[in-house]
Structure formats: structure tokens, C-alpha cells
């Protein structure tokens, strides 16, 4: 993608013409297929003269240059290597910052749960992460304390791939106790952020992060969660995104939100690791069948 397109997208997100939110800006950009054309449409000459428009875009270009000089990787929702599954959800981040290895095809499953996890919950999370790696599936989590950290560490110990979707800028470490873990993931897996590189942790960031985790993966496994946990948001979003949701029986027993989800299409309640593995295998197989059918259809057109 041309540098001017990236600059236009950054300018749009920084200036928010007509008071549009980032989701609305993303939708406009995807609809037109060009951030630059979207900028010109939303910021007419009557509001910005040529010099003003040029300066806004030039400022955004300087921002891009500072990222390049600092070694910060980024890509926009219009770039070919933007994760395809993620682009398909309503909450697709307009820009992703990343460290590590981006894969064009990344069979991934999110494993989420409480920061204040029980020993049993941590053990279950580790077992699921290890099983995913054995199946050749990427283990995705949010680099938080508790369940997330257990998922990442187990995946790395099993020499598998793990993706951390974080709720801060790519240059930040949160929580501080996971700094070494974050660095190891960046070296051996993938670290993703949808926030400006130096953005601090904020409460609403983590709910946005949950939407991205759901969109990136094929399914979400909920290991342990409370009634007000952010994990419940990801479970609901995963249903909205058409992703499989796998709830442990203890989560269903202890949470009314989980009980309300139970029985909905794509939502599974499991009592053991074998059930999780079988559902993940089925989800991946179904996705492959759809991809093969689409490929065959395209070759006949």
C-alpha cells in the first residue's frame, strides 16, 4: 500500500472528520477502497484549504516516518497482509502495530479467562494451550495475568506458536510482570496492538482488544470467568462474529451470562479436554471445506 494511503488513514484517525469514530472511519475506508479518497470526501475544500489539507497529511506522514525510524511495524486494514478473518468483523482495527511473525494463514483459537484465576483454572488453560499446539493451532490470548499468561507460557514451552493481542501501545509493557514474556512472544510468535505505539493501558482498551482477539481466531475458549469479567464480552462478540464459543462446564454453572449463551448456534459447553479438541478439529475442518469450495468455485468462473 502506498505511503500516502497510510498517511491519509492516520490523518483520518487523528482528526476524526465529522466526529466519526474509528469504526465508522474503517467502514468508510473499506467501502471506498482508499483512505486518501475517504479523506478528500470527508474533508472538503470548504473546510480545509489546500495548504491545510497538505499540512494535515504531511503531519501524518511525519508520524509514519517516526514509526519507521523507531522500528515499529504497522499495517492498515487495506493492506494485503492484514489478517483476513479480522478484516471481516465490524470492529476491525483500522491500523495494527505488530512485532514478530505475521502469517497469511494462521489457524488460531483464543483461550481466555480470569486474571485472578484458580489453580484449577490455570491448569485447564495450560492443558488446552498444550493441546492446541499439538494440533498445529496457534494459541491466542491477551497477555494479562492469570489465564492469559498461562496460555502463552505453555504454548512457548511446547515450542508452539502463540499470539498476544495487547490492550496498550506496542511500546508499552502491561502488566510489568509480563515484560519478559511479552519480549519472548515478540521473538517467537506475534505481538499485536491496535492502539498508538505509546498508548497507556485504559479500561476501554481491553474490551476493544477482546473484539480483536475474537476476530483473529476461529474460536474462543472460556476457561474461567466471573459475571462482570471482560471475558464475557469476548464470548458474546465471538457469537456475533460467527465464531465457535467453547465454555467449560464450570463457567456455565457459575455465570448467568454463560447460561444465556448456552444453546445458541456455535456455542458449546464442555466437560473435558477431549471435547475441546474435537470441537476445534471440527471448526478447522469446516473452515477448510469452505475455503476449498470457494477456491473450486472461483476456478470455474
Amino acid at each position: 500500500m502506498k505511503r500516502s494511503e497510510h498517511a491519509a488513514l492516520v490523518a483520518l484517525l487523528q482528526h476524526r472528520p465529522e466526529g466519526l469514530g474509528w469504526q465508522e472511519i474503517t467502514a468508510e475506508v473499506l467501502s471506498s477502497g482508499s483512505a486518501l479518497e475517504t479523506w478528500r470526501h470527508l474533508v472538503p475544500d470548504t473546510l480545509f484549504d489546500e495548504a491545510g489539507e497538505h499540512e494535515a497529511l504531511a503531519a501524518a506522514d511525519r508520524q509514519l516516518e517516526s514509526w519507521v525510524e523507531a522500528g515499529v511495524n504497522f499495517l492498515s486494514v487495506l493492506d494485503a497482509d492484514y489478517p483476513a478473518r479480522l478484516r471481516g468483523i465490524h470492529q476491525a482495527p483500522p491500523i495494527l502495530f505488530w512485532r514478530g511473525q505475521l502469517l497469511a494463514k494462521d489457524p488460531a483459537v483464543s483461550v481466555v479467562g480470569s486474571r485472578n484465576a484458580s489453580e484449577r483454572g490455570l491448569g485447564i488453560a495450560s492443558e488446552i494451550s498444550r493441546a492446541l499446539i499439538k494440533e498445529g493451532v496457534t494459541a491466542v490470548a491477551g497477555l494479562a495475568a492469570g489465564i492469559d499468561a498461562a496460555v502463552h507460557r505453555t504454548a512457548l514451552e511446547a515450542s508452539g506458536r502463540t499470539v498476544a493481542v495487547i490492550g496498550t501501545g506496542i511500546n508499552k509493557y502491561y502488566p510489568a510482570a509480563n515484560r519478559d514474556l511479552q519480549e519472548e512472544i515478540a521473538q517467537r510468535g506475534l505481538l499485536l496492538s491496535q492502539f498508538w505505539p505509546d498508548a497507556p493501558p485504559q479500561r476501554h482498551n481491553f474490551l476493544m482488544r477482546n473484539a480483536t482477539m475474537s476476530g483473529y481466531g476461529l474460536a474462543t475458549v472460556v476457561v474461567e470467568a466471573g459475571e462482570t469479567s471482560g471475558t464475557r464480552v469476548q464470548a458474546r462478540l465471538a457469537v456475533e462474529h460467527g465464531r465457535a464459543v467453547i465454555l467449560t462446564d464450570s463457567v456455565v454453572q457459575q455465570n448467568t451470562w454463560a447460561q444465556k449463551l448456552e444453546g445458541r448456534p456455535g456455542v458449546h459447553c464442555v466437560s473435558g479436554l477431549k471435547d475441546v479438541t474435537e470441537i476445534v478439529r471440527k471448526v478447522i475442518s469446516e473452515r477448510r471445506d469452505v475455503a476449498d469450495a470457494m477456491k473450486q468455485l472461483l476456478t470455474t468462473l
Side-chain angles (χ1 to χ4, degrees):
M1 184 174 174
K2 293 182 179 180
R3 175 84 167 247
S4 59
E5 286 286 336
H6 283 146
L9 182 55
V10 170
L12 284 166
L13 295 170
Q14 290 178 336
H15 289 272
R16 301 288 181 89
E18 299 182 7
L20 296 179
W22 67 268
Q23 286 187 6
E24 296 166 307
I25 290 172
T26 304
E28 291 279 350
V29 169
L30 284 172
S31 177
S32 69
S34 168
L36 195 55
E37 288 304 314
T38 301
W39 170 268
R40 290 169 178 164
H41 170 69
L42 293 175
V43 188
D45 292 340
T46 54
L47 296 180
F48 283 82
D49 59 22
E50 184 177 350
E53 177 178 338
H54 174 77
E55 175 53 32
L57 295 175
D61 190 72
R62 289 192 295 272
Q63 180 71 78
L64 294 178
E65 185 60 31
S66 71
W67 294 339
V68 172
E69 291 177 352
V72 176
N73 301 311
F74 58 90
L75 69 162
S76 84
V77 70
L78 292 177
D79 287 316
D81 49 355
Y82 187 97
R85 283 194 302 270
L86 184 55
R87 186 189 286 118
I89 68 170
H90 175 63
Q91 302 89 348
I95 292 182
L96 286 174
F97 299 90
W98 58 278
R99 294 177 61 197
Q101 184 181 18
L102 280 171
L103 297 181
K105 296 181 179 180
D106 194 7
V109 170
S110 293
V111 184
V112 298
S114 174
R115 288 176 171 82
N116 300 312
S118 67
E119 287 299 319
R120 179 176 181 272
L122 293 173
I124 292 172
S126 294
E127 289 179 359
I128 293 173
S129 181
R130 192 174 295 110
L132 291 176
I133 299 307
K134 187 176 180 180
E135 293 292 322
V137 176
T138 297
V140 180
L143 200 62
I147 296 297
D148 287 6
V151 170
H152 292 307
R153 288 195 177 98
T154 301
L156 293 170
E157 290 168 0
S159 299
R161 176 174 166 83
T162 187
V163 174
V165 184
I166 62 177
T168 66
I170 202 81
N171 293 334
K172 297 293 184 180
Y173 296 92
Y174 183 83
N178 284 348
R179 184 186 184 106
D180 290 344
L181 177 59
Q182 181 168 326
E183 282 299 312
E184 188 172 1
I185 293 170
Q187 293 297 319
R188 298 175 53 191
L190 176 64
L191 190 71
L192 284 179
S193 171
Q194 65 201 84
F195 307 103
W196 301 123
D198 295 312
Q202 298 184 66
R203 186 178 181 86
H204 67 273
N205 286 10
F206 296 96
L207 299 180
M208 295 168 70
R209 181 272 311 271
N210 285 129
T212 300
M213 286 173 62
S214 170
Y216 188 91
L218 293 165
T220 288
V221 184
V222 183
V223 175
E224 199 170 64
E227 284 290 357
T228 60
S229 169
T231 300
R232 80 190 190 286
V233 175
Q234 180 161 337
R236 291 169 179 165
L237 287 170
V239 172
E240 175 188 320
H241 297 157
R243 308 295 196 259
V245 176
I246 305 171
L247 307 170
T248 61
D249 50 7
S250 61
V251 169
V252 175
Q253 292 167 7
Q254 297 171 13
N255 295 278
T256 57
W257 63 261
Q259 293 162 16
K260 291 177 181 178
L261 286 181
E262 191 179 15
R264 295 187 63 175
V267 178
H268 310 267
C269 180
V270 299
S271 57
L273 183 61
K274 182 181 178 181
D275 295 336
V276 175
T277 303
E278 288 179 351
I279 294 168
V280 169
R281 286 174 179 169
K282 182 179 179 182
V283 168
I284 291 175
S285 177
E286 289 173 348
R287 290 282 179 166
R288 285 173 179 165
D289 289 344
V290 170
D292 290 343
M294 290 298 295
K295 184 176 181 181
Q296 184 175 1
L297 177 63
L298 291 173
T299 59
T300 61
L301 294 178

